[in-house]
Amino acid sequence: MSALLISAAPTTKSLDSRQAGGYWVESIQRQGTVPFANAGNYPIFRNVKDYGAKGDGSSDDTQAINSAITDGNRCGQGCDSSTTTPALVYFPAGTYVVSAPIVQLYFTQFVGDATNPPTLKAAAGFQGIAVIDSDPYDSSGNNWYTNQNNFYRQIRNFVIDLTAMPQSAGAGIHWQVAQATSLQNIVFNMIQGGGDANKQQGIFMDNGSGGFMSDLTFNGGNYGAFFGNQQFTTRNMTFNNCNTAIFMNWNWLWALKSVNINNCGIGVDMSNSPSNQTVGSVILQDSSITGTPVGVKTAFNKAGNVPTTGNTLIIDNVDFSGCQTAVQDNNGGTVLAGGSVTKYWQQGRAYTGASGSVVQGAANGPSKPANLLSGNKVFERSKPQYENVPAANFVSVKGAGAKGDGTTDDTQAIQNALNALTADQVLYFDHGAYIVSQTIKVPANAKMTGEIWPMIMANGPAFQDMNNPVPVFQVGQAGQTGAVEMSDLVFQTVGPQVGAILMEWNLGGAQGANGMWDVHFRIGGSAGTKLQSDTCTKQPTVTADAKPACEAAFMLLHVTESGSVYVENQWAWVADHELDLADHNQINVFNGRGVLIQSKQPTWWYGHASEHHTLYNYHIDGASSVYMSIIQTETAYFQSNPVSTNPFPINAAFNDPNFGGDTAAKKTWGTYIGGNSQDVLIYGAGQYSFFENWGQTCLTSGDCQTNMVNVDGGSNINYIGLSVIGTVNMLTTGSGTDFTPQALLQDNKNNYASTIASWVAG
């Protein structure tokens, strides 16, 4: 049985009796409810000062803050997961002294005042793993949560201060997380210098399957960040005066984009365990390292590497002018001299067509179209937090007539609210479940954000014909330009909606004007979806077609020819297991397609995952100017029982790709690039096949499926840092049912995945 935490109610101090800050999150009217929890007056929003926290720089606020987090029936120790009792824990400006960890429970956001970020200050006698702990260890060394299932968390707008502690101890955040998680706008202050005696670290990450973080600054410490996770995207991080800026303990693949390292001993240390390397691959892009003797330390050995492709490294547009040595081996030898900008350099196994070889040196990197760039770097844009928008300019969708109760049809109320929105307003989705029965047409200049991932749920006769699918959210019309922003929302279905395209993005516009941040798709496996373990439990011992009651949507996201969108930290997930019912069983949910990109305009995809769809996770079809950093996929676990075209057949109207002839080839395409696509730049891809009909013996032989990635023509197609699991052919070329292997799993073995540094057509 799952354990739920119950804590004391807040103090009687009301919002009106506090001095409200300038940030709208603190003062907006709260109307969110938990539609599937049967929890009465459950508090979604919690201001820590309502629970007794002082924030005065001297009082110990540990107990008060943890009381704010645990109030109500929350998912704590012994609870695998729960989506029904979320909490948005708000910290007004101030300095909050803590003497023990602040424990972030499942489905929780910590949000500080973005206009004046609060400080979390570790007391001199602080005891515990970190100031914030996302996955505590019990007395037996077991984590509260399964690390690769530790979903739905945010921490943003804080200063974390360890300087009162002795230099021999202290960490800012223990961040052992999986998908739909993020860190943003955080400064870590640690003791500077101290040599080997300094043990402080800003982030301690020991495991997980993530993930995304951005806009972080690390001052001092032994390690600015200690990283270990399957795959992760990190962007816009600054390190000042750390002994080592980034220590990479292990990974399968990692993207370091726009990293600025100043006056550290080592920039990036990825040399852990040289005799049997634990770091799979690192991509360092659009970065600068100054005043630092060693830029990157690696254990790669071109003469004989263990594993074969361990420590794969791609350097793209990195300024090493302030480094004596840009890349150093683990014996202190210079592999690449510093003192200049490195345009493109790689080590690992690189492919031109089907010809692969071990490389370590400069190479011709991808040609980058100007519409993807800002200056000489790939464009990026942080999640808008609307710091300068007053609370009065946020329009509550509930205030506009929507119920969000999981049963009422809110289509017209949402449409009316969008239509009435003015340019200076933001539509606010109070937490709830909003039923949509017809297409919502999003105007060309709408902004919307949600209260800790409210659910927009497709349910109606309009979405029942898989031969004539229609969008649930339609952003703009074909050929239209504008600026639409979305953040902190979740899109779902209620039961089978086999003719639903959950989002269709038609809108173009100025560079980065259109965007989604922390907007996720979650299909089945959670309360209210009717696609849960009581209906859709896996059936590996029964050979059968897809169960009609467990079919879901036609497609999750379609970016059409005229669309341009910036997407950051999005998880397009078809549930493989139950999140809310007590059994937490593995389940069979059948969803046709993940993400279809047909845009002729630029699109950016930072920290994106698309998992467990039947036909494909990504289809890049006739698209131009596509940049991705990192993408992650998994093949549907139940396949090949049934195969990929059951229950959703190939639909020529959407240019669906075909499959090879054998059963193992009729599995989810991780990525299919076709339709004469141009300028596709994929910087990091983890594409995995873990099962054959829920069995995993195929992992040993590496043949859970035959093909994972296919490139069908096109020009300037670049696959950089591709890591694949359980698939015979990592990458193929071809069309129809005829595919030619380019890179094989067996030739490119890494620590767990198999990795290639790069692939371009021959």
Side-chain angles (χ1 to χ4, degrees), residues 4-17:
L4 296 172
L5 297 182
I6 301 174
S7 87
T11 65
T12 57
K13 190 176 185 181
S14 68
L15 174 63
D16 292 337
S17 68

Side-chain angles (χ1 to χ4, degrees), residues 225-387:
F226 178 105
F227 285 150
N229 200 287
Q230 291 175 7
Q231 64 283 313
F232 228 92
T233 303
T234 47
R235 183 185 65 70
N236 192 27
M237 300 192 301
T238 297
F239 298 83
N240 301 311
N241 302 303
C242 310
N243 291 346
T244 295
I246 298 168
F247 181 81
M248 198 67 65
N249 187 43
W250 75 276
N251 69 43
W252 296 346
L253 62 154
W254 202 288
L256 298 169
K257 169 74 164 68
S258 301
V259 174
N260 296 294
I261 298 173
N262 306 303
N263 303 313
C264 298
I266 297 174
V268 180
D269 187 347
M270 56 183 290
S271 65
N272 192 36
S273 184
S275 63
N276 189 11
Q277 296 154 22
T278 59
V279 175
S281 63
V282 171
I283 297 170
L284 180 62
Q285 184 179 25
D286 291 345
S287 297
S288 174
I289 305 179
T290 62
T292 301
V294 177
V296 180
K297 184 178 179 181
T298 175
F300 184 83
N301 185 346
K302 188 176 180 181
N305 209 49
V306 181
T308 302
T309 61
N311 267 220
T312 292
L313 173 63
I314 297 90
I315 297 172
D316 184 296
N317 187 33
V318 178
D319 187 350
F320 291 106
S321 297
C323 294
Q324 180 178 345
T325 304
V327 180
Q328 182 187 80
D329 66 27
N330 63 295
N331 295 315
T334 297
V335 178
L336 174 65
S340 63
V341 175
T342 296
K343 185 176 180 181
Y344 190 87
W345 188 95
Q346 59 183 350
Q347 66 182 22
R349 280 181 56 85
Y351 280 78
T352 300
S355 176
S357 60
V358 177
V359 298
Q360 189 180 44
N364 293 322
S367 174
K368 299 169 186 171
N371 59 1
L372 284 174
L373 303 180
S374 176
N376 69 339
K377 299 180 179 181
V378 177
F379 175 81
E380 55 193 56
R381 182 186 174 198
S382 293
K383 173 181 174 178
Q385 299 200 62
Y386 307 114
E387 299 96 320

Side-chain angles (χ1 to χ4, degrees), residues 148-212:
Q148 66 267 29
N149 296 338
N150 198 12
F151 311 135
Y152 298 108
R153 299 166 176 275
Q154 283 183 16
I155 303 173
R156 49 191 165 101
N157 311 327
F158 288 94
V159 176
I160 300 178
D161 188 350
L162 305 180
T163 58
M165 294 183 65
Q167 66 176 354
S168 59
I173 300 176
H174 175 221
W175 196 237
Q176 183 168 259
V177 296
Q179 290 86 354
T181 62
S182 63
L183 302 177
Q184 181 188 3
N185 191 27
I186 304 171
V187 176
F188 299 85
N189 289 328
M190 296 165 280
I191 293 173
Q192 298 184 14
D196 293 340
N198 190 338
K199 303 300 182 184
Q200 294 190 342
Q201 45 197 348
I203 295 173
F204 172 58
M205 179 191 295
D206 41 349
N207 217 323
S209 178
F212 178 81

Side-chain angles (χ1 to χ4, degrees), residues 83-94:
T83 70
T84 62
T85 53
L88 195 167
V89 182
Y90 179 72
F91 295 73

Side-chain angles (χ1 to χ4, degrees), residues 400-459:
K403 300 299 183 184
D405 56 14
T407 56
T408 302
D409 188 342
D410 287 322
T411 307
Q412 197 59 54
I414 295 171
Q415 188 66 70
N416 291 344
L418 283 166
N419 292 345
L421 209 62
T422 60
D424 61 346
Q425 292 179 322
V426 179
L427 185 63
Y428 189 67
F429 281 83
D430 317 270
H431 191 81
Y434 298 88
I435 301 298
V436 172
S437 64
Q438 300 283 338
T439 299
I440 297 287
K441 296 185 177 181
V442 179
N445 291 287
K447 297 178 177 65
M448 63 193 81
T449 190
E451 181 182 35
I452 189 163
W453 298 301
M455 298 155 280
I456 298 170
M457 306 183 76
N459 186 18

Side-chain angles (χ1 to χ4, degrees), residues 124-135:
F126 181 94
Q127 295 293 316
I129 193 170
V131 171
I132 298 176
D133 191 355
S134 67
D135 196 2

